[in-house]
Amino acid sequence: MFTPLVFASILPEILILVLGILILIFEPFWKEDQRRNAGWLTAGGLFIAMIVSLLFGRPGEAVTVLGGMIRFDWLGFFFKMLFMFAGAATALLLMDHDRAGRRGESYVLLLASLLGMNLMAVSSDLVMLYLAIETASIPLYVLSGFLLNDERSTEGGFKYLLFGTVASTIMLYGFSLLFGFSGTTNLSEIAAMFTTGNISPFVGFGVIILLAVGLGFKVSLVPFHFWAPDVYQGAPAPIAGYLSTASKAAGLAVVMRLFFAALPDFASTWTLVFAALAAITMTVGNLLALPQTNIKRLLAYSSVSHAGYALIGVVAFNQLGATSVVFYLAAYIVTNLLAFGLVMAFSRITGLEEITDYAGLSRRNPFMALMMLAAFLSLAGMPPFGGFVAKVFVFAAGVQANYIWLVIVGILNSIIGVYYYLNVLKYVYLYRMPNEDEEQHPVPLTRPYTIALVVLTIGVILVGTVFAPWFSWASDGAFLLFN
Amino acid sequence: MMNFPILSIITFIPIAAGVLILMMPAGRKNETRAVALAAATLDLLLSGWVYLQYLTQDMTGYQFIEQYNWLPQLGISLHFGVDGMSAPLVLLTGIVMFTGVLISWGDDNPHVMAGIQDRPREFFAFLFLLAGGVFGVFVSLDLFMLFFFYEIAVFPMYLLIAIWGWVKTREYAAMKLTLYLFIGSVVALVGALAMYWVQYQNTGVLSFDMLVMENAGFSQAFQNAWFLPVFFGFAVLGGIWPFHNWSPDGHVAAPTAVSMFHAGVLMKLGAFAALRVGVMLLPEGAKTWAPLIMGFAAIAVVYGAYIAFVQTDLKYMIGFSSVSHMGLVMLGISTLNATGLTGAGVQMFSHGVMTALFFAVTGMIYDRSHTRMIPELGGMMKVMPFAAVGFIIGGLVSMGMPGFSGFVAEFPIFMGVWQEQWLVAVIASISIVITAAYIMMNIRKVFFSPMPEHLEGHVGDVTVLDKVAIVTLCLFMVALGMFPSIMVPMVETGVGYIMNLLGGA
């Protein structure tokens, strides 16, 4: 039963588990001021785990293993690499966080949620899927409420927990209906049952709505997004970045698996539902981002709107659509981690997080200002940064699927986006500090920040220029969804 | 010789130089400028070489072709090449980049405060990124890459204007400009994606290559529907009425070198892309909508000239005169006949050099007198004779005087329009009179009237680098005016290709 194939299919997860255990073992022996080293261990360990998985854990033909629980294919593998990359970057960014960074358990929780996300990306069974989602979510509930002395953090964590469990329950109800109608929990078998069975579209619509509510919450689609800004603002900033990228990408991975694999026969219904959700999500997210003065809240609402753009690819429901979603998520993960990382690095030194506080940054730390430029222009969808290519692919998929109206909504929204992203850069580059002596107020970066931010910046540029390899991986992964 | 990737070198030199400049230590202003000048000179020489090769080898069609796979799954490739239409524009970009660096060099004399004193490192880096984008658009034969470079050419403009621009309006102007151009380009992008998929349906080929798309067999209805968004999406950057109103604000707010780039090169980007993507890929749509474009362009020509006539701010005057002169380019394109298109091609080059010169001289005057208001200026002939002569030559070009490049460009445009619609030619020609009037009025006031007292003794002559820039720019205008054969036959070969696409010459 435990063949080399099975081993290879869960190799990254095994390594993550080992890493978590290592930290748990070593942590008690470390002195207080050494504990942040768990961050080096986590980031380095994840990096090694990625390399090992790339060498020994690459999938070949798509197969299901472990009694049909896990599907071992390129799509899942690509997502796993993305999540682990995001996890490593988050660990580095967490190290210099005043409170959360000096405690081993934050890294263990991070790894636990990473484990869950990895499994979310490969689940091919409802039971496995639900377990994976909860494994990913519960550590995140804890992490977002980690700062016990901070009211906003505890409030955010509590809110997240409360809404998260309600959404999970609704989704679970959807799962149980799926099981009830098809008599199986295996995704591909469900699809087969629906093809042959005579389920009324009305029931299908109900199930789709239940699933959309649960997953919409994870991905923070409007109108299930209201937790996001409070949680992002309250949570330790690296965790907020992680939530808005990896966790969201994991949600979208599940959306694709579930709807593309299990419910292709209801495509005409769910594409419409998602088209509506995408349009609302983009528009509401952007309009709410527009008046924000706090940069974390701005990023929170902008990340809501980005889920909407990515959803255009899901709505397209074709090969390019799926590829574009995966590509979009890859670009978005590096970009948004970079943006959150910068915000965090800035507020750690200055203690400030209003947009106006960024006045004069281009003189206080020119390199940081350039990285802000890369991050925000990528979010706005400008070349040569990842966001541009990602957006063009998503729009191209939308046009191909004849959802021109949705693409137009997307474009109108990008224009709003350009406005508020440029607005941030205006403070960074144009305005000066009130007393105009920026040289007296430098914003130094510590080593972990520098490593993480530089790697992410290079990533943002690489995704936007040398996009062929990422695209073919994404495409290989997406191909399987239709076979 | 053909295998030498000269076009990609021309395109990537500015980008590489920009990155290099960013890496340099912040305090080293002179080294920064030297690297910038070296890169700009090299690019000017290379683009001049491409131009001369094209001219002397009697080449036709697309030359210096390079093609590298970029994303074969979607048919995206880095496909570069120039024809008789784009080779002059590549040269133009080289000229403006070179003179722009000279003008921005900066005079450290606190009395003058010319050029870029504040953070030259970032300034040149952003300016060169912009230049790289512009070169990329002019040489791209791949629609995706064209958009890629087009957007790269647009967004540094925001920073360049917002950071180094004129304090009073820079924020407003920069944001307005960026949003206008961004809206235009994404509208065009949707059209391009539609073309891409319809081509796939028609031919089964997934390709963004424009040479492939030219044979995609788009239906008449499709072309009619998508021509307008594509053409106007780009033409926004060409300053076509009624989408022109970002442009004078942008010109005015921008620092000198950026104004030169903006009016000299970026507006050509819009007209060129509108021609390359709009007219050449959707020729039937172009035929359907040509009268509309001709009407809009005629309005731009006359209205722009009139508004320029009533301006009291020198930069606004030039800004609106750009709208008028770019209107002539659009007018030439809208004729869809060989004469008009040739005129449009030459006018793009001529106006680019001329307006760069205008903005350069205006910048020199402003740096030294701290005003751009025409009524407050006077007597500049005495203190900066060199700049004054340059401005006058630019003025003669602007008025379309024979012997200067403006005549070579405008004459065929009006001829071409006359062939299609004589009434429009008559109306548009009113602009010649208005232009002559405001140019001469302003030359008299700014350069030849007595110098106002508050300026007496405060205004010095221009620097040697400024003079080099003025001479360079004037040289091309006079040479082209005296010897039209150095450009017109070349543009005609490019036009011949377009005429084929339009279905016969």
Side-chain angles (χ1 to χ4, degrees), chain A residues 210-275:
Chain A
L210 290 174
L211 297 178
V213 170
L215 290 167
F217 172 85
K218 298 287 173 207
V219 187
S220 69
L221 298 180
V222 176
F224 321 111
H225 68 288
F226 38 79
W227 57 276
D230 292 332
V231 174
Y232 292 175
Q233 202 183 1
I239 300 306
Y242 187 66
L243 269 177
S244 83
T245 53
S247 158
K248 185 171 287 196
L252 273 165
V254 172
V255 168
M256 286 204 290
R257 280 265 191 232
L258 202 54
F259 287 91
F260 285 16
L263 297 165
D265 291 288
F266 292 102
S268 56
T269 310
W270 62 254
T271 48
L272 265 184
V273 171
F274 278 122

Side-chain angles (χ1 to χ4, degrees), chain A residues 56-81:
Chain A
F56 304 108
R58 270 177 305 174
E61 288 280 295
V63 284
T64 48
V65 294
L66 291 173
M69 286 288 166
I70 283 179
R71 192 176 152 95
F72 185 38
D73 61 12
W74 266 107
L75 183 72
F77 188 74
F78 188 78
F79 272 116
K80 281 184 192 179
M81 290 300 120

Side-chain angles (χ1 to χ4, degrees), chain B residues 73-105:
Chain B
Q73 294 96 321
L74 291 185
I76 299 172
S77 64
L78 199 87
H79 192 181
F80 284 170
V82 286
D83 66 349
M85 214 61 173
S86 52
L89 295 172
V90 172
L91 175 65
L92 170 71
T93 312
I95 298 168
V96 176
M97 186 177 161
F98 174 72
T99 50
V101 171
L102 289 181
I103 299 290
S104 316
W105 189 278

Side-chain angles (χ1 to χ4, degrees), chain B residues 180-263:
Chain B
Y180 256 91
L181 301 188
F182 189 73
I183 292 171
S185 67
V186 286
V187 167
L189 179 65
V190 180
L193 291 174
M195 280 150 76
Y196 175 71
W197 289 120
V198 169
Q199 159 183 269
Y200 180 56
Q201 279 171 12
N202 289 357
T203 63
V205 181
L206 266 182
S207 176
F208 274 104
D209 197 319
M210 290 193 277
L211 300 183
V212 176
M213 277 195 183
E214 280 164 4
N215 305 312
F218 298 126
S219 70
Q220 178 77 46
F222 176 83
Q223 299 203 22
N224 285 351
W226 286 102
F227 176 78
L228 280 188
V230 172
F231 186 89
F232 278 103
F234 286 119
V236 169
L237 182 51
I240 196 169
W241 184 88
F243 308 112
H244 66 287
N245 103 1
W246 57 275
S247 133
D249 285 319
H251 289 321
V252 171
T256 305
V258 177
S259 296
M260 291 166 65
F261 241 96
H262 180 179

Side-chain angles (χ1 to χ4, degrees), chain A residues 201-360:
Chain A
F202 188 68
V203 174
F205 181 73
V207 173
I208 286 165
I209 292 293
L210 290 174
L211 297 178
V213 170
L215 290 167
F217 172 85
K218 298 287 173 207
V219 187
S220 69
L221 298 180
V222 176
F224 321 111
H225 68 288
F226 38 79
W227 57 276
D230 292 332
V231 174
Y232 292 175
Q233 202 183 1
I239 300 306
Y242 187 66
L243 269 177
S244 83
T245 53
S247 158
K248 185 171 287 196
L252 273 165
V254 172
V255 168
M256 286 204 290
R257 280 265 191 232
L258 202 54
F259 287 91
F260 285 16
L263 297 165
D265 291 288
F266 292 102
S268 56
T269 310
W270 62 254
T271 48
L272 265 184
V273 171
F274 278 122
L277 283 177
I280 300 170
T281 302
M282 288 185 282
T283 312
V284 172
N286 272 316
L287 289 179
L288 290 178
L290 208 51
Q292 297 304 323
T293 57
N294 180 293
I295 195 150
K296 271 167 113 181
R297 287 186 85 84
L298 178 119
L299 285 177
Y301 283 113
S302 105
S303 95
V304 168
S305 73
H306 279 280
Y309 297 122
L311 216 52
I312 296 178
V314 175
V315 171
F317 189 50
N318 52 30
Q319 166 75 30
L320 180 66
T323 311
S324 69
V325 177
V326 179
F327 192 92
Y328 195 96
L329 292 175
Y332 172 73
I333 282 180
V334 270
T335 305
N336 223 30
L337 277 176
L338 178 61
F340 268 100
L342 287 161
V343 164
M344 203 158 45
F346 182 81
S347 86
R348 197 180 83 86
I349 299 294
T350 60
L352 303 168
E353 48 186 53
E354 293 296 304
I355 295 170
T356 46
D357 299 326
Y358 282 77

Side-chain angles (χ1 to χ4, degrees), chain B residues 340-386:
Chain B
L341 283 167
T342 308
V346 181
Q347 171 74 355
M348 281 201 260
F349 182 85
S350 164
H351 174 255
V353 180
M354 170 193 94
T355 202
L357 178 66
F358 273 156
F359 277 116
V361 174
T362 306
M364 294 171 201
I365 293 174
Y366 179 74
D367 285 338
R368 289 162 179 81
S369 66
H370 305 289
T371 180
R372 293 187 316 245
M373 303 309 289
I374 297 164
E376 295 173 18
L377 287 165
M380 292 295 157
M381 190 69 194
K382 263 183 282 178
V383 287
M384 42 175 81
F386 214 92

Side-chain angles (χ1 to χ4, degrees), chain A residues 85-99:
Chain A
F85 176 77
T90 308
L92 283 179
L93 296 173
L94 200 55
M95 282 178 66
D96 283 314
H97 191 276
D98 277 346
R99 277 164 292 176

